[in-house]
Amino acid sequence: MARGEDALARLTALVQADLEATNRAIVERMHSPVALIPQLAAHLVAAGGKRLRPLLTLAAARLCGYPAGGPRHVALAACVEFIHTATLLHDDVVDESALRRGQASANALFGNKASVLVGDFLFARAFQLMVEDGSLEVLRILSAASATIAEGEVLQLVTQNDLSTTEAQYLEVIEGKTAALFAAATRVGAVVADRPPREAEALDAYGRNLGIAFQLVDDALDYAAAQEALGKTVGDDFREGKITLPILVAFDRGGEPDRAFWRRTMEERAQEQADLAHAQALIARHDGIGETIRRAERYGAAALAALETFPRSEFRQALADVVEFCVSRAR
Amino acid sequence: MARGEDALARLTALVQADLEATNRAIVERMHSPVALIPQLAAHLVAAGGKRLRPLLTLAAARLCGYPAGGPRHVALAACVEFIHTATLLHDDVVDESALRRGQASANALFGNKASVLVGDFLFARAFQLMVEDGSLEVLRILSAASATIAEGEVLQLVTQNDLSTTEAQYLEVIEGKTAALFAAATRVGAVVADRPPREAEALDAYGRNLGIAFQLVDDALDYAAAQEALGKTVGDDFREGKITLPILVAFDRGGEPDRAFWRRTMEERAQEQADLAHAQALIARHDGIGETIRRAERYGAAALAALETFPRSEFRQALADVVEFCVSRAR
């Protein structure tokens, strides 16, 4: 087992009972008399995600002294997973991705319509869970995060196939589409434990930096990893014309022939069989993966620094190890 | 001007200033630094909808004694319109409908991806507006309605092209996809005015029955009205294989040749040029439109009965007239 996976296993073990309660809550609350809803949702849930975001909520709450057994952090962990699953379902529609976690995507199996609508259901159900929890502060955090996620996804769409996208815009995209939910997932831990704003902000900073690091690594992996290790098709981003940091680096550092290649494949979308391999070679030549990973490490370091607000504990150590998990996936 | 449109004009005049405030809130709060979001949202907003649902929220609040000028009913009216617009955007993706309110749909202009994501943004923004309002009861009502809308839409998808759909299932679909938001839109009027549960329930019953009547008439119009009167393509439901009451009536009352026609066109989706006209003829022969409108009138009567909970006022009269507006569209 790689170091990173080991870290995630330790975190999982630390909140095992609460994670199982979260899984039960997820199954229970995705129920609907309309049978297709739990069927389709179960397809994603049963796909055995890492439950990274719910784990973050559980661990952040415990870090802040919230007791094991819940119930609030368990309900909100389920809620965070519902929002995440809803965005995956809508992202499948958007990206026409054929594989998700190595399985046929819900979209491919059930169609675009069902994915959009079941995503809507899960999103609404997440808000029902928050209302049951009863904290307006939690509702504020997660409704703001939801709006920011949508903004990030739209910005990604707008910058797709556009090589004039700046690195700042790229970072805005990943901060929206990925880091906003990480930040909200950890921040609500401080809210349920009734901790002061300073700790809520520290957990927000931890989650936000972790999320950016996570997405940077994900974007590196799309050009670097074997499909088996990643659990999804390598080259998805390339085929979809997503402008990610490895490409921005290779484009920026490349000469005119390189740039012509990127313009043809990304902007004109005229891709041929051998293009992905050539893209990977150009990215390797200009150290696009290395640059992206080093950036991820810097955000990872910022996430670790934010944890210093809290006294040492097994939860602080576990959350620190998650940073290692996220960054080390690319090694 | 037809009697119905007259009724809507009177209601609009009655809450004119608050409706204008609602329109300003809509424009203001659909803002985002991601320019495509207000651009796409404006396409729907500028399309000049009747603002029926926000009007219902404003009038219901005033009926309950909430003062003109708001601000709560104005903010919630905007919120209801955001949820409605989000469902329209997602419905466009779903149904591939070419026309909406007589204009090219946002989907056709901006693509599926953008419609899904901007819908998500508006939905999240609606929840942010509710959080600013600060009432957990309002949040409970509108998050539950949002889940029910998604359930209704999924059930509609599941029963599509399926002639074994029962009338009860059809009613469940329209109660979910349409009436749930009408009910929530009127119910929150009682909440902002701090009125007792009896009045909240009466407004819920009013909105729910009105919504069912509204959708029944809409489904009748899809086979009955000229495109100009409806502002959308006649025969949309037929082409999409949506099972609506006019078809259920014609199928139920028809002989074997009729049923073979419906099976071919609706279940096997093998439609030819002249089929819509033949479908309209079969529906006319079996009084499918008449049956549907009579059903709508019964729900309309139930909506009127629910208003009896309240003392006479210009707002009660205006809300009663809206029933007339909804039902008379088909005459």
Side-chain angles (χ1 to χ4, degrees):
Chain A
M1 194 181 272
R3 259 173 87 200
E5 283 172 34
D6 207 29
L8 202 65
R10 280 197 305 276
L11 172 58
T12 303
L14 207 54
V15 297
Q16 189 71 47
D18 288 343
L19 182 63
E20 283 164 14
T22 302
N23 284 332
R24 285 194 300 275
I26 287 171
V27 171
E28 206 175 288
R29 300 311 297 273
M30 73 190 189
H31 180 75
S32 162
V34 181
L36 180 59
I37 291 175
Q39 273 166 24
L40 197 156
H43 181 78
L44 274 183
V45 169
K50 298 177 293 291
R51 295 271 197 267
L52 178 54
R53 293 156 192 81
L55 277 171
L56 290 174
T57 298
L58 296 175
R62 300 297 312 284
L63 174 71
C64 289
Y66 189 76
R72 290 186 68 194
H73 69 333
V74 165
L76 295 179
C79 159
V80 163
E81 187 70 355
F82 279 168
I83 293 176
H84 173 56
T85 307
T87 63
L88 286 187
L89 281 166
H90 288 188
D91 204 45
D92 273 347
V93 170
V94 160
D95 292 336
E96 290 160 9
S97 53
L99 289 173
R100 165 88 53 199
R101 291 175 186 155
Q103 299 206 14
S105 77
N107 179 31
L109 273 182
F110 297 93
N112 269 347
K113 300 185 182 196
S115 289
V116 174
L117 299 174
V118 173
D120 288 349
F121 174 82
L122 291 178
F123 196 52
R125 183 51 52 91
F127 277 90
Q128 289 185 284
L129 282 164
M130 286 181 248
V131 170
E132 288 171 25
D133 175 72
S135 160
L136 277 168
E137 178 62 8
V138 164
L139 278 154
R140 190 191 63 73
I141 292 166
L142 279 160
S143 60
S146 300
T148 303
I149 292 168
E151 289 179 320
E153 296 269 4
V154 174
L155 189 61
Q156 173 170 270
L157 186 62
V158 169
T159 56
Q160 204 164 327
N161 301 105
D162 181 359
L163 286 163
S164 73
T165 303
T166 63
E167 193 181 315
Q169 286 175 310
Y170 162 75
L171 285 169
E172 208 180 321
V173 167
I174 67 177
E175 218 181 310
K177 75 170 188 170
T178 306
L181 188 56
F182 275 68
T186 46
R187 182 172 201 134
V188 297
V191 177
V192 296
D194 207 17
R195 302 298 303 163
R198 198 176 67 98
E199 295 188 14
E201 279 149 31
L203 280 171
D204 187 295
Y206 165 79
R208 192 170 308 275
N209 283 289
L210 176 68
I212 295 173
F214 180 88
Q215 189 60 53
L216 281 162
V217 170
D218 221 49
D219 291 348
L221 284 172
D222 203 68
Y223 291 95
Q227 175 165 343
E228 306 80 54
L230 183 55
K232 71 175 207 182
T233 324
V234 170
D236 270 352
D237 292 347
F238 181 70
R239 277 183 288 273
E240 290 165 19
K242 267 190 201 162
I243 305 298
T244 58
L245 193 56
I247 284 187
L248 289 178
V249 169
F251 183 75
D252 188 52
R253 297 182 179 175
E256 197 41 52
D258 289 10
R259 294 191 169 201
F261 168 81
W262 292 116
R263 285 202 195 91
R264 170 174 63 79
T265 54
M266 300 304 282
E267 293 196 333
E268 295 156 29
R269 303 171 213 204
Q271 296 188 5
E272 290 156 25
Q273 188 67 36
D275 285 341
L276 176 59
H278 188 60
Q280 288 175 303
L282 290 183
I283 288 168
R285 184 184 310 158
H286 297 296
D287 198 26
I289 302 294
E291 270 303 324
T292 305
I293 300 302
R294 281 190 290 281
R295 204 74 48 103
E297 285 167 343
R298 288 215 290 276
Y299 284 99
L304 290 177
L307 287 177
E308 298 294 323
T309 303
F310 301 91
R312 267 179 220 282
S313 73
E314 54 184 352
F315 294 105
R316 193 183 90 170
Q317 187 56 49
L319 286 168
D321 292 346
V322 169
V323 177
E324 171 66 11
F325 158 74
C326 286
V327 174
S328 71
R329 292 185 305 151
R331 286 194 201 116
Chain B
M1 196 181 270
R3 258 175 87 201
E5 282 171 36
D6 208 30
L8 202 63
R10 281 198 304 277
L11 173 57
T12 302
L14 207 52
V15 295
Q16 190 70 48
D18 288 343
L19 182 62
E20 283 163 14
T22 302
N23 284 333
R24 285 194 299 274
I26 287 171
V27 171
E28 203 175 292
R29 301 309 298 271
M30 75 189 187
H31 179 76
S32 161
V34 181
L36 180 59
I37 291 175
Q39 273 166 22
L40 197 156
H43 181 78
L44 275 182
V45 169
K50 298 177 293 291
R51 296 269 197 268
L52 179 54
R53 293 157 192 80
L55 278 170
L56 290 173
T57 297
L58 296 175
R62 300 296 315 281
L63 175 71
C64 288
Y66 189 76
R72 290 187 68 194
H73 69 332
V74 165
L76 295 179
C79 159
V80 163
E81 186 71 355
F82 279 168
I83 293 177
H84 173 57
T85 307
T87 64
L88 287 186
L89 282 167
H90 288 187
D91 204 46
D92 272 346
V93 170
V94 161
D95 292 336
E96 292 161 7
S97 52
L99 289 174
R100 163 88 54 198
R101 291 175 184 156
Q103 301 207 11
S105 77
N107 179 32
L109 273 183
F110 298 93
N112 269 346
K113 299 183 181 197
S115 289
V116 173
L117 299 174
V118 174
D120 289 349
F121 174 82
L122 291 177
F123 196 51
R125 182 52 51 92
F127 277 90
Q128 289 185 284
L129 282 164
M130 287 181 247
V131 170
E132 287 170 26
D133 175 72
S135 160
L136 278 168
E137 179 62 7
V138 165
L139 279 154
R140 191 192 63 72
I141 292 166
L142 279 160
S143 61
S146 300
T148 302
I149 292 167
E151 288 180 320
E153 296 269 3
V154 174
L155 188 61
Q156 172 170 270
L157 186 62
V158 169
T159 56
Q160 202 163 330
N161 300 106
D162 181 0
L163 286 163
S164 74
T165 302
T166 64
E167 193 182 314
Q169 287 175 307
Y170 163 76
L171 285 170
E172 207 180 321
V173 166
I174 67 177
E175 218 181 308
K177 74 170 189 171
T178 305
L181 188 56
F182 276 69
T186 46
R187 184 174 200 134
V188 297
V191 177
V192 295
D194 208 16
R195 304 297 305 162
R198 198 176 67 98
E199 294 187 16
E201 279 149 29
L203 280 171
D204 186 296
Y206 165 79
R208 192 170 308 274
N209 283 290
L210 176 68
I212 296 174
F214 180 87
Q215 189 60 53
L216 281 162
V217 170
D218 221 49
D219 291 348
L221 285 172
D222 202 68
Y223 290 95
Q227 175 167 342
E228 306 78 56
L230 184 56
K232 69 176 210 182
T233 325
V234 170
D236 270 352
D237 293 348
F238 181 70
R239 276 183 289 273
E240 289 165 19
K242 266 190 200 161
I243 304 299
T244 59
L245 193 56
I247 284 188
L248 288 178
V249 168
F251 182 75
D252 187 53
R253 296 180 180 176
E256 197 41 51
D258 288 11
R259 294 192 169 200
F261 168 81
W262 292 116
R263 285 201 195 91
R264 170 174 65 79
T265 54
M266 300 304 282
E267 294 197 332
E268 294 156 28
R269 306 171 209 202
Q271 296 188 6
E272 291 155 25
Q273 188 67 36
D275 284 341
L276 176 60
H278 188 59
Q280 288 175 304
L282 290 184
I283 288 168
R285 184 183 311 159
H286 297 297
D287 198 25
I289 302 295
E291 270 300 325
T292 303
I293 300 302
R294 281 191 289 283
R295 204 72 48 100
E297 286 168 343
R298 288 215 291 276
Y299 284 100
L304 291 177
L307 287 178
E308 298 295 323
T309 302
F310 301 91
R312 268 180 221 282
S313 72
E314 54 185 352
F315 295 105
R316 193 182 90 170
Q317 188 56 50
L319 286 168
D321 292 344
V322 169
V323 177
E324 172 66 10
F325 158 73
C326 287
V327 174
S328 70
R329 292 185 304 149
R331 287 194 202 115

